[in-house]
Amino acid sequence: MTRAWSLDLLFPSLARVPTSLPWRLAGRIGRESAAEREPLLRWLEGLFARVFPGATGAEHAQWATAHLAMLAQEMVDAMAFHRLGRWGGPVIDLQGAEHAKRLARQGKGFILVLNHYDRLLTAPVALARAGIATNVLTMPVLDNPELQAAQRRFLLRKIQGYTAVTGGTWHTTSDGLRPVHESLRAGQGWVILADAWRPEFGRLRGHPFLGGGLSLPTGIERLAQSTGVPLLHAVTCSRSPDHLDVLVEPLPDNPRQAIDAVVQRLEQDVRARPWAWWQWGLWDQMWQQQAPESEVERKPKLGDKHDQD
């Protein structure tokens, strides 16, 4: 199975199969080739053993398998957002929609903060089902040189399906943030990921995380500070491939404290379900063994291109 064939044909075709069968099959099919799968599983097991030495080898293996299955299930989500929370698709149990509805009634814009955890985009879809439209800010796709052609085609299809369901627009960091500022001040909601990470990010802040420090960009807190909008947090937990729980919660008014709370919640979630975090492949870049003594932003270096998404 080549990556291009998987992205162009396999997952789009699988997503059209009736009932929730595609999501149950995805974990078995996987998004990687057979030749890639075993080395990847062994690598994940080794990483989990380093980060969670108190767990057993059997648990490390179980988490590695569950991690790859979750990522494959999200590939089906990406081609079938219109089926999430609808008959024949995964069931979504949503709690906390009233927080977003209250802001919408007041005409206030807001930032919905997500992390790369579990089936992350289920939350904006669930809010759209409840009548709350949101826009999304991401890293560049069309002008991202690290993406292969098939990956770019898949992501563009994903974004098209996602925005059709959520009722908002897609914007990238390479397009400039003025429209995002204006939209937030005009009362619209935006989805932004807190644990996005790229080596060229210049403004990072350290957070205590799993016995060390996790360096994350400060863009969300600076955007909230400049626009004066409140922040909400959403997390998805999958009970099964076709049954998802979504919880939306308000965050502290102070943007810095709000992001601290988001990272604290992420740490709790990762400890409880290590397999559900997407960012293990970036662990050695994002995490430092020494916990940060103080939270100091790293100033941008010459050549840093992007802020955070």
Side-chain angles (χ1 to χ4, degrees):
M1 179 174 66
T2 66
R3 175 161 299 197
W5 182 81
S6 173
L7 295 172
D8 286 335
L9 295 174
L10 175 61
F11 281 100
S13 299
L14 183 62
R16 291 195 291 269
V17 175
T19 76
S20 59
L21 181 63
W23 286 270
R24 297 197 299 273
L25 288 177
R28 296 183 181 182
I29 295 172
R31 64 176 193 171
E32 57 283 320
S33 68
E36 295 171 326
R37 184 175 179 82
E38 286 306 315
L40 185 53
L41 286 170
R42 302 293 86 78
W43 180 84
L44 283 166
E45 289 171 22
L47 179 57
F48 289 142
R50 278 200 289 134
V51 180
F52 302 101
T56 66
E59 287 175 312
H60 299 149
Q62 180 183 6
W63 296 343
T65 300
H67 179 73
L68 296 189
M70 178 269 296
L71 293 177
Q73 289 151 10
E74 196 275 339
M75 297 279 282
V76 181
D77 290 345
M79 296 293 100
F81 285 118
H82 62 286
R83 295 177 59 183
L84 301 188
R86 292 285 190 254
W87 185 88
V91 173
I92 303 175
D93 289 331
L94 171 62
Q95 296 183 47
E98 64 273 11
H99 302 300
K101 290 181 177 179
R102 173 177 51 81
L103 294 174
R105 287 195 302 269
Q106 295 172 352
K108 291 185 178 179
F110 63 89
I111 299 173
L112 180 67
V113 184
L114 305 180
N115 283 305
H116 284 91
Y117 186 80
D118 211 310
R119 311 262 286 279
L120 70 164
L121 292 178
T122 306
V125 171
L127 284 176
R129 305 295 190 213
I132 305 297
T134 52
N135 308 290
V136 62
L137 179 66
T138 74
M139 290 294 294
V141 173
L142 290 174
D143 51 352
N144 186 337
E146 296 184 7
L147 294 177
Q148 299 175 358
Q151 292 173 308
R152 191 173 290 110
R153 289 192 296 269
F154 184 88
L155 287 173
L156 290 175
R157 291 179 68 172
K158 176 179 181 178
I159 291 163
Q160 182 180 20
Y162 173 82
T163 54
V165 170
T166 56
T169 61
W170 165 57
H171 194 80
T172 76
T173 52
S174 64
D175 297 325
L177 294 183
R178 182 186 294 273
V180 181
H181 282 79
E182 294 174 350
S183 176
L184 285 168
R185 292 191 179 102
Q188 296 187 28
W190 281 83
V191 173
I192 310 179
L193 291 159
D195 64 344
W197 193 91
R198 291 284 303 165
E200 65 265 23
F201 285 164
R203 299 182 180 181
L204 301 174
R205 187 159 69 87
H207 302 265
F209 193 82
L210 296 180
L214 193 69
S215 295
L216 296 179
T218 59
I220 293 177
E221 53 199 85
R222 289 184 288 109
L223 182 60
Q225 188 71 48
S226 66
T227 58
V229 300
L231 294 137
L232 300 176
H233 176 242
V235 62
T236 298
C237 290
S238 51
R239 295 190 199 177
S240 67
D242 55 359
H243 196 157
L244 308 168
D245 290 337
V246 173
L247 176 63
V248 178
E249 298 176 301
L251 289 168
D253 292 336
N254 181 284
R256 187 183 181 95
Q257 294 174 0
I259 297 304
D260 288 344
V262 167
V263 180
Q264 290 169 11
R265 173 59 192 266
L266 177 63
E267 182 182 33
Q268 295 173 12
D269 290 336
V270 172
R271 286 187 183 277
R273 303 163 75 237
W275 55 268
W277 195 38
W278 291 42
Q279 300 291 61
W280 291 115
L282 295 171
W283 176 253
D284 290 327
Q285 288 77 42
M286 297 176 68
W287 186 85
Q288 298 81 40
Q289 189 170 10
Q290 182 66 38
E293 296 180 2
S294 61
E295 297 171 333
V296 180
E297 291 184 5
R298 176 172 70 86
K299 294 181 180 180
K301 297 179 181 179
L302 185 64
D304 284 343
K305 299 177 181 178
H306 300 292
D307 219 328
Q308 73 98 188
D309 58 348

